[in-house]
């Protein structure tokens, strides 16, 4: 009984005194242009030697890099991901596309935060390895 009481007290203490250890909303993405890497930016929170920054078509001609393929990441507003990929490729976030993608298409859902404009997310594409 004493052990049970100690466990309950510890649980209550940890619930009542919990604190936020880490919080980041990733800010916003600039309206996409070649000069600003199509709204993409790096994150200081991605561990070194884990994922590689997925720069846009302004800075790479690699499909894997620009399309944030396996083992790549970028901080970017979801609706701007397509703007930074190589022409002819696309990155869907809608369940069912209704038109053929084209350069400059805005085919992506806003994030779920009401009222924010161009809210960025940490987009990570994990690899099987």
């Amino acid at each position: 009984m004493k052990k049970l009481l100690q466990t309950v007290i510890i649980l209550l203490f940890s619930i009542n005194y919990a604190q936020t250890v880490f919080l980041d909303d990733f800010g916003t993405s600039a309206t996409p242009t070649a000069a600003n890497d199509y709204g993409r930016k790096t994150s200081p929170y991605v561990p070194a030697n884990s994922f590689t920054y997925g720069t846009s078509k302004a800075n790479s001609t690699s499909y894997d890099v620009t399309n944030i393929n396996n083992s790549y990441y970028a901080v970017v507003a979801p609706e701007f991901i397509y703007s930074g990929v190589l022409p002819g490729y696309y990155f869907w976030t809608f369940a069912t596309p209704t038109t053929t993608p084209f350069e400059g298409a805005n085919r992506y859902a806003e994030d779920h935060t009401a009222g924010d404009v161009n809210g960025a997310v940490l987009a990570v594409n994990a690899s099987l390895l």
Side-chain angles (χ1 to χ4, degrees), residues 24-96:
D24 191 340
D25 68 2
F26 300 106
T28 60
S29 291
T31 301
T33 67
N36 69 19
D37 205 17
Y38 287 88
R40 297 180 184 196
K41 53 189 172 183
T42 61
S43 172
Y45 305 115
V46 175
N49 301 318
S50 60
F51 294 94
T52 304
Y53 173 62
T55 191
S56 72
K57 66 182 177 185
N59 298 303
S60 178
T61 57
S62 167
Y63 169 88
D64 289 335
V65 174
T66 62
N67 286 275
I68 312 173
N69 206 2
N70 294 340
S71 297
Y72 288 90
Y73 85 95
V75 174
V76 62
E79 65 269 26
F80 296 158
I81 293 174
Y82 178 75
S83 299
V85 304
L86 296 174
Y89 296 101
Y90 50 89
F91 190 107
W92 294 113
T93 57
F94 281 157
T96 307

Side-chain angles (χ1 to χ4, degrees), residues 110-122:
E110 274 283 340
D111 68 33
H112 64 278
T113 308
D116 87 341
V117 177
N118 303 340
V121 300
L122 175 62

Side-chain angles (χ1 to χ4, degrees), residues 7-38:
T7 304
V8 170
I9 290 171
I10 290 170
L11 288 173
L12 289 174
F13 181 77
S14 64
I15 291 169
N16 289 327
Y17 293 98
Q19 62 180 317
T20 301
V21 176
F22 175 80
L23 174 68
D24 191 340
D25 68 2
F26 300 106
T28 60
S29 291
T31 301
T33 67
N36 69 19
D37 205 17
Y38 287 88

